Amino acid sequence: MFAISLGDDLGDDRAELRPLEVWQAEEFLAHMDRARELVDPWIPFASAAGDLDSARALLQRYADKQAADTGRLYGIWLDGTLVGGVLFRIFDAASGNCEIGVWREPAAQGRGLITRAAERLIDWAVYGRGMHRVEWVASAANTRSIAVAKRLGMTRDGVLRQNYLYRGVRHDSEIWSVLAPEWRARTGGELRR
């Protein structure tokens, strides 16, 4: 299994990005229990992993997506503990479009781990797979998520008004994106390690 250090910006070399796999369902569930309060207001990701069977099923869905080359799931470990993650919710190599998403628990807040992990995903999508457009979709009320999109140099494409029904409430979704030429210009045309 590979691990990518996420410590290069803040001198925190104890943080790693690694694949999150089905065999880690117990660890993932414990993490989701810690993350639930931060994640649940915005997306059903944490509530989709409410017990060991559903956690295993969620991880299996992403293993199947990876096998079909339509999505991927990675965890962020800090000092050996799973504290967050990033994913390709949608990955369409034929069209050159993908959507990334993120989540984290309180232990990962304020460390820049989500931004650095998302940068690694975008690097891989653009440089490794030749993707042209990387999207970020967030509730318009999720200011933390929108702040990450801005830190990534994404452009706000628009708002889908009341398009997302979650827990009986309609939410506006903001669509952000970065195009491959913009990402290459931002990174100096080189994949970061």
Side-chain angles (χ1 to χ4, degrees):
M1 172 188 325
F2 75 86
I4 298 171
S5 173
L6 296 175
D8 44 2
D9 289 314
L10 299 177
D12 185 356
D13 59 5
R14 302 162 304 150
E16 293 181 324
L17 180 68
R18 294 185 280 186
L20 188 51
E21 300 176 348
V22 177
W23 63 271
Q24 297 163 307
E26 286 184 33
E27 182 178 15
F28 178 64
L29 177 60
H31 159 63
M32 282 291 102
D33 288 342
R34 295 187 303 269
R36 205 169 310 284
E37 188 175 317
L38 289 174
V39 175
D40 269 350
W42 312 114
I43 57 174
F45 194 72
S47 60
D51 59 31
L52 189 55
D53 287 339
S54 59
R56 190 174 288 115
L58 190 151
L59 294 175
Q60 185 62 57
R61 279 195 301 277
Y62 274 90
D64 295 343
K65 281 184 166 208
Q66 182 165 338
D69 198 28
T70 60
R72 292 173 185 266
L73 182 65
Y74 302 94
I76 299 169
W77 277 264
L78 180 63
D79 293 327
T81 301
L82 180 62
V83 296
V86 291
L87 57 83
F88 287 108
R89 194 180 79 76
I90 297 168
F91 194 88
D92 184 346
S95 71
N97 297 320
C98 61
E99 177 191 332
I100 64 173
V102 301
W103 76 93
R104 47 106 179 94
E105 66 179 66
Q109 285 184 282
R111 297 174 173 267
L113 297 173
I114 293 295
T115 301
R116 285 181 278 159
E119 286 172 340
R120 297 319 184 277
L121 255 64
I122 297 170
D123 279 351
W124 182 80
V126 170
Y127 292 112
R129 293 300 304 278
M131 300 302 272
H132 179 72
R133 177 183 169 85
V134 180
E135 289 187 353
W136 184 279
V137 180
S139 167
N142 190 345
T143 57
R144 287 180 185 253
S145 183
I146 292 167
V148 175
K150 290 177 182 178
R151 282 194 298 276
L152 293 169
M154 292 184 158
T155 298
R156 183 176 179 247
D157 294 331
V159 176
L160 299 175
R161 298 178 310 136
Q162 297 186 7
N163 76 307
Y164 182 64
L165 179 64
Y166 184 58
R167 297 192 182 254
V169 177
R170 290 220 160 260
H171 297 266
D172 293 349
S173 293
E174 290 196 14
I175 311 300
W176 291 74
S177 69
V178 64
L179 304 179
E182 297 165 342
W183 191 253
R184 286 188 195 100
R186 179 180 173 85
T187 61
E190 294 184 22
L191 175 67
R192 288 173 283 206
R193 302 275 176 202

